[in-house]
Amino acid sequence: MNSQLAWADTLQFETRAIHAGQEPDAAAGAVITPIYQTATFAQTAVGEHRGYDYARTDNPTRSALQECLASLERGSHGLAFASGMAAITTLLLYFKQGDHIVVADDVYGGTYRLFQRVFTQFGLEFSFVDLTDLTATRAALRENTRLLWIESPTNPLLKVVDIAAVSALARARNILVGVDNTFASSYLQRPLECGADLVMHSTTKYLAGHSDVVGGAIVTSHAALYERLKFLQNAAGAVPAPFDCWLTLRGLKTLALRMERHSQNALHVAQWLEMQPQVARVLYPGLASHPQHEIARKQMVTPAGAPMYGGMISFIARGGKAVAEKIAATTKIFTLAESLGGVESLIEVPAAMTHMSVANSPLAVDAGLVRLSVGVEHRADLIQDLSDALESVQA
Ligand SMILES: *Cc1c(COP(=O)(O)O)cnc(C)c1O
């Protein structure tokens, strides 16, 4: 397996997305990684096997996915999970009672819920901090801080955290840095190269990219951390099914193509939205008006070095909740739905949908906020759809 990784490591991102971990199958020469739909594997002698004994521990379809994910993040080890939340849950099992974790104050609602309402019960301590403020971040670090949890861009406010700067703060104190890289995807941001210790994804979103599978992943280059997480992956057992691994592998093959189109479409839509009278403010890292645009321009770059800002846009509708909800209910191509990162465009109102669970918390969002996951449809159709919806609120 490692020789394959070394081979693929010399190749460009687009090529690795298609080939890393995916040599033609040894048994029949299948060009596409087979779905090893089996729970167990025949052993060659008592206690001896071909690398696989039981499918919770390892499965060849999952191994291929894990290798490809590691390669795309430029890490040496990948681990796949049944969902993004399963990946984060397994990571938290690495820590002990009394450990302190500093978390971006605008994290994914499900992450906040898991930290605050589940893991505090087991004695983990969390501080939610604006990680775009380095002074506040430094002040939040304690003697018992073990992990700094970054999300960038954040959901739904699209704040951009300077991963290199925050990682440097943590490194000086031996604190692990983890980055939820779901919004940017491995094509537009590689946190390990910025100094982070591990990267996490909800592969449900851009990596799989077709809204047809739920999954998660962690990638790291720390051998000891990997060994412990690999132990926990098997011990806790929140692993993805072989078919889900296969769907994710299929999605990954077009990640570069999709992210370029998502980014082009979103920039076009964001610039258009900024000119609409019904829109009070547009949040998109690619706009010069974005408070961390300069950081994004350096951090959100393709492997070839071109800045691109992904497919997620949030905007605040003038007129608040009622107007936001009317717009979201009126669009036709932008489907009213949670989730993001698929080829099809989606629209949602975070305060009433994805962020309901944080309504009475510091993470509560403006009721007039609308979030778009801009797909890869033709941009003229997307603009027309939004234009019709905005006109309907004016009437
Ligand atoms: C969706 C999401 C998650 C959770 O992933 P699931 O696959 O839904 O469990 C975590 N972080 C971010 C940023 C997400 O968008």
Side-chain angles (χ1 to χ4, degrees):
M1 260 194 279
N2 282 332
S3 61
Q4 257 187 36
L5 193 66
W7 164 78
D9 258 358
T10 61
L11 303 171
Q12 302 295 324
F13 185 98
E14 292 81 346
T15 315
R16 282 182 279 124
I18 294 167
H19 295 288
Q22 300 164 79
E23 302 259 280
D25 178 54
V31 167
I32 296 303
T33 308
I35 301 166
Y36 281 87
Q37 191 65 47
T38 184
T40 189
F41 300 84
Q43 306 209 354
T44 47
V46 176
E48 282 176 33
H49 55 77
R50 301 169 182 84
Y52 297 94
D53 55 358
Y54 183 61
R56 167 163 33 76
T57 314
D58 265 315
N59 174 289
T61 317
R62 195 205 317 161
S63 300
L65 172 61
Q66 292 180 155
E67 235 179 87
C68 189
L69 290 166
S71 174
L72 296 184
E73 285 289 349
R74 287 293 191 198
S76 36
H77 306 284
L79 291 164
F81 296 91
S83 67
M85 293 322 300
I88 300 177
T89 299
T90 305
L91 172 66
L92 288 194
L93 300 177
Y94 179 82
F95 299 98
K96 292 193 296 293
Q97 185 171 20
D99 286 350
H100 175 242
I101 297 176
V102 171
V103 187
D105 65 351
D106 180 28
V107 276
Y108 178 69
T111 304
Y112 179 81
R113 179 174 57 194
L114 178 72
F115 290 179
Q116 275 304 76
R117 292 177 53 191
V118 181
F119 276 95
T120 51
Q121 293 182 314
F122 298 97
L124 291 187
E125 297 165 20
F126 299 92
S127 298
F128 295 87
V129 179
D130 179 359
L131 300 183
T132 64
D133 178 344
L134 289 179
T135 310
T137 305
R138 193 181 294 108
L141 303 178
R142 300 188 201 153
E143 200 61 34
N144 59 337
T145 307
R146 298 282 175 267
L147 175 69
L148 225 151
W149 187 251
I150 301 176
E151 213 179 282
S152 186
T154 62
N155 176 22
L157 298 180
L158 298 158
K159 284 200 240 175
V160 174
V161 176
D162 186 336
I163 298 171
V166 171
S167 297
L169 277 185
R171 174 136 312 177
R173 299 179 182 227
N174 255 330
I175 296 167
L176 286 176
V177 174
V179 178
D180 182 336
N181 202 22
T182 300
F183 266 42
S185 90
S186 321
Y187 186 63
L188 300 183
Q189 181 167 277
R190 284 152 311 280
L192 299 183
E193 293 180 342
C194 301
D197 298 289
L198 66 103
V199 180
M200 170 264 158
H201 280 278
S202 167
T203 56
T204 313
K205 317 293 169 52
Y206 287 108
L207 298 198
H210 295 74
S211 304
D212 53 8
V213 62
V214 170
I218 293 177
V219 173
T220 181
S221 290
H222 287 303
L225 176 62
Y226 166 73
E227 286 307 330
R228 181 65 185 171
L229 292 177
K230 167 94 190 117
F231 167 82
L232 292 169
Q233 181 195 39
N234 182 50
V239 294
F243 181 56
D244 292 359
C245 294
W246 182 89
L247 279 171
T248 307
L249 276 168
R250 185 168 71 162
L252 282 176
K253 290 176 194 289
T254 54
L255 179 63
L257 300 169
R258 287 186 285 108
M259 290 318 295
E260 296 205 359
R261 181 60 62 87
H262 280 297
S263 300
Q264 290 159 1
N265 279 356
L267 181 61
H268 185 71
V269 168
Q271 286 170 339
W272 179 84
L273 281 171
E274 263 196 330
M275 298 184 302
Q276 306 312 309
Q278 302 91 334
V279 174
R281 191 160 165 225
V282 183
L283 307 170
Y284 184 66
L287 293 175
S289 60
H290 187 283
Q292 293 97 32
H293 176 63
E294 283 309 308
I295 297 168
R297 205 161 55 81
K298 293 193 202 99
Q299 185 167 280
M300 299 184 72
V301 292
T302 67
M308 276 186 209
Y309 307 95
M312 299 304 297
I313 301 174
S314 290
F315 67 89
I316 298 172
R318 269 189 222 288
K321 182 173 162 26
V323 172
E325 293 186 0
K326 176 88 197 294
I327 293 169
T330 306
T331 53
K332 294 192 179 73
I333 298 173
F334 281 88
T335 303
L336 179 60
E338 299 193 358
S339 199
L340 60 111
V343 291
E344 63 290 304
S345 292
L346 302 178
I347 188 166
E348 68 125 356
V349 178
M353 296 171 66
T354 49
H355 288 64
M356 275 274 267
S357 65
V358 294
N360 297 311
S361 80
L363 275 75
V365 293
D366 192 305
L369 192 76
V370 178
R371 191 187 76 179
L372 303 178
S373 173
V374 180
V376 299
E377 299 96 335
H378 196 289
R379 66 187 198 178
D381 292 328
L382 298 180
I383 297 284
Q384 188 61 52
D385 192 35
L386 289 170
S387 174
D388 291 345
L390 291 184
E391 255 165 50
S392 79
V393 298
Q394 233 170 6

